[in-house]
Amino acid sequence: MTDPRQLSGLELASALRDSRLRTWSLVEDLTPAQWNPPRQLGINRIAWELAHVAWFAEFWILRGPHHCDAQGMVHAARPPRFCGPDALFDSARLAHAQRWVEAMPGRAELVPMLSGQLEACIAALPAGAPAATDAAQDPLYFHRLALFHEDMHGEAFCWMRSALAYPAPHGVTVPRLPVSRALTVPGTDTCIGYRDTQAGFAFDNERPAMAVCLGHFEIDSAPISAGEFARFVEAGGYDHAPYWPHEAGVWRTNSACAHPQQWRRGPDGGWQMRWFDQWLPLDAMAPAMHLNAFEAQAYCLWAGRRLPTASEWEHAATTQPGFHWGHSVWEWTSSAFAPYPGFTPGPYHAYSQPWFGNHRELRGGAFASHDRMHHPRYRNFFQPHRTDVFAGFRTVAG
C-alpha cells in the first residue's frame, strides 16, 4: 500500500474523490433542521464548512501563484471559478461568529460548486511529476495539502454530529482498546519530526527534524480506557483536582466548546455513556474520550503518573512493539504546541503559526480520523479546554 503522504497520479485522484464522498456522506442524511443548528462555539455552519473545503482546494491548486502581503494575508493571482469570494470562505478572513450570519449557498448550489471544483483540481494533477522535499518545488504539494485538509474537515463533521447529539455516521461503531500494559523505554538520543531529505508530504510544523535527549520512562501501551477512568471518577478524583468542576453523578459540566453530558447513572445505578444520539451501557474497554487536557492531568495526579511529552509519545510509537495508537482517540500530551527550532511556515501560513503558544499538542488519531491521517509524526493541536473532539490520553512514569 502506498504511503498516503506519497500519493500521486491516479492514486491521488482516487483519494481526492474518496475524501469528497466521505465529506458528503457525513452530512447528506441530515434533515433541514439538523443542517441549520443554533450557533455553537467550536462548530461551523455546514454550508460554510462545505464551501470552505472546496474553496481551499481551488485556492491552492488552481489559483496560484500566491503572494503574502505585509499583514501576512495570502492572495492568489487568479480569481475564483467555483468557490468565492475569498472574504466569505477563507477561515483566515472570516471570523467564526461571522460564518453564522453571512448568507450561504443552499444545498442545491453546493453540489455543482463542489463537483466542479473537484474535477478541475483533479484535471490539474501533473502527469508523472516527481515529488520534491521542498513544498515550494513539489508539484503535488497543494493536491496533497487539499486532501489532508478535507480529511480533517470530515472528522470535524463527525465531532459536530456528536456534539449536537445527531445519529452516528453510517458504519461508525464504538472503538475498543486492547488490555494496556507498561512498556519500558530506555533513555536515548533520538530525532523527532521529518528530516529534510525524506520524500513525500509533510506539514510545516513537522519540520525541521529536532534532536531530543530522552530519559528512561515507562508508558502505557494503550490509551486510558473508560473503565479505568470510571475508577478515577468513583474514587472522587474530580473532588480533589483543581482543574475542572463537576456535578455528583455527572461527568461533564457546561463550558465553552463542551461536549454534552458524557456519562450518567442508569436506572440500575451503573454508568451509561453517550454515543452520538444514544445512551449505551458503559463499555469498560472503550477509550475514555471527550476529555480535556485538564481532566487528563487530574487523572494523572490521582494515579501518581503524568502525561507523556510529544517527543516521548513519538519515540515510543516509532520504536516500541505493542504500542497501540490510532483509530481510538487523539491523545493529549504535556507539550505546548510550539515550532521546532528552525521552523519556517509553509505556503499555507495560517496552518500552524497562528496557534503556537496557546494550543496543546495531541498525538495518535481517533476512530473518526481517516486512515490517511494516522501518522506517528503528525502533530494535532487544540486549546486544552476543548472537549468536543474525540480526545483521551495515556500516562507515563519516570
Side-chain angles (χ1 to χ4, degrees), residues 125-208:
L125 270 167
T133 56
D134 181 358
Q137 306 297 323
D138 183 356
L140 297 176
Y141 179 84
F142 290 124
H143 281 85
R144 291 166 172 169
L145 177 66
L147 171 64
F148 293 124
H149 175 264
E150 183 153 355
D151 285 341
M152 292 178 202
H153 279 275
E155 181 168 351
F157 279 132
C158 288
W159 80 58
M160 174 207 74
R161 293 179 72 118
S162 178
L164 296 175
Y166 291 174
H170 177 71
V172 172
T173 57
V174 179
R176 304 190 87 242
L177 297 170
V179 175
S180 186
R181 59 188 180 88
L183 299 175
T184 299
V185 185
T188 188
D189 292 330
T190 189
C191 186
I192 66 169
Y194 262 90
R195 295 175 176 84
D196 289 339
T197 55
Q198 289 178 281
F201 179 88
F203 291 96
D204 61 4
N205 61 56
E206 297 169 344
R207 283 182 164 152

Side-chain angles (χ1 to χ4, degrees), residues 263-280:
W263 283 11
R264 71 181 185 188
R265 292 288 187 182
D268 62 354
W271 287 109
Q272 295 180 330
M273 58 182 282
R274 181 185 290 277
W275 177 250
F276 291 85
D277 63 336
Q278 302 179 61
W279 283 101
L280 305 175

